[in-house]
Amino acid sequence: MSESTHLDIVIQRTFKAPRQLVWDVWTQAEHIAKWWGPKGMTTKVLVHDFVPGGKWHYVMQSPDGKEFPVLGEFIEIDAIEQWVGKDEFPDEYLKFFPKDKLPGETKMTFHFEDKGAETHLTLTITSLTEEDKQKHLNMGAEGGWNSSFDKLEELLANLQAA
């Protein structure tokens, strides 16, 4: 795992589940639809080609029906340890945010590490500029991801209880 830089947003969480299960729930479309997006939002997985160079296209929907697309590309995949991707905010976001408030493309690194019977996840969101990092923070990146992680924790608990 690389060192953090001033252009990074780093979010960490330890899940009470083995790494293989966390990896599976993180990387398989049928599971992603159950936890991706902040609480109260639902997610449709339209494309999830989990191979280097493959694309993802998810659509988060708020309770009032607003749709927020998530587009990206998988860059690097090191099975059950780490995957790296890049994402962007498509033009549909202009309905909700002025163009000057939207960050540019970001690189996301998801690192999975065993912590006994638990899994520690480190998400590093790397912006191209300090201004883009601040825009991402202003949009609620940390709160949104932490809310998604809360949903992921619930799903992992339910899967292990079944």
Side-chain angles (χ1 to χ4, degrees):
M1 197 166 70
S2 62
E3 291 293 315
S4 182
T5 75
H6 73 284
L7 297 176
D8 292 341
I9 300 168
V10 179
I11 303 168
Q12 299 185 43
R13 180 75 65 99
T14 300
F15 297 100
K16 295 178 181 174
R19 183 166 43 151
Q20 183 67 59
L21 179 60
V22 176
W23 177 265
D24 291 346
V25 170
W26 194 275
T27 61
Q28 296 172 6
E30 64 270 18
H31 294 302
I32 292 167
K34 296 174 186 170
W35 68 266
W36 188 282
K39 283 189 177 185
M41 294 188 119
T42 58
T43 297
K44 294 181 280 188
V45 176
L46 304 179
V47 175
H48 182 78
D49 186 17
F50 191 65
V51 296
K55 306 288 186 196
W56 75 76
H57 181 181
Y58 311 151
V59 178
M60 298 182 298
Q61 187 172 44
S62 63
D64 63 1
K66 292 179 184 162
E67 292 192 339
F68 299 85
V70 182
L71 304 173
E73 179 181 341
F74 299 103
I75 299 170
E76 171 189 325
I77 298 170
D78 186 3
I80 85 163
E81 185 170 324
Q82 177 171 288
W83 70 265
V84 179
K86 61 182 178 179
D87 75 350
E88 60 188 83
F89 292 93
D91 288 342
E92 288 92 336
Y93 273 79
L94 296 174
K95 295 183 255 181
F96 313 111
F97 299 95
K99 188 160 185 71
D100 66 339
K101 301 293 184 200
L102 289 175
E105 182 181 286
T106 59
K107 180 176 110 177
M108 300 189 310
T109 303
F110 302 89
H111 183 79
F112 302 78
E113 184 179 354
D114 287 326
K115 292 290 184 188
E118 300 178 332
T119 302
H120 186 75
L121 171 68
T122 302
L123 162 57
T124 305
I125 303 167
T126 305
S127 298
L128 296 176
T129 67
E130 183 67 40
E131 181 182 14
D132 278 347
K133 175 185 173 182
Q134 192 57 52
K135 288 177 183 179
H136 213 124
L137 289 168
N138 292 344
M139 288 179 72
E142 291 171 311
W145 275 108
N146 278 306
S147 184
S148 291
F149 288 174
D150 291 345
K151 289 169 57 178
L152 178 57
E153 270 182 338
E154 292 171 20
L155 176 60
L156 289 165
N158 290 338
L159 289 171
Q160 292 180 96

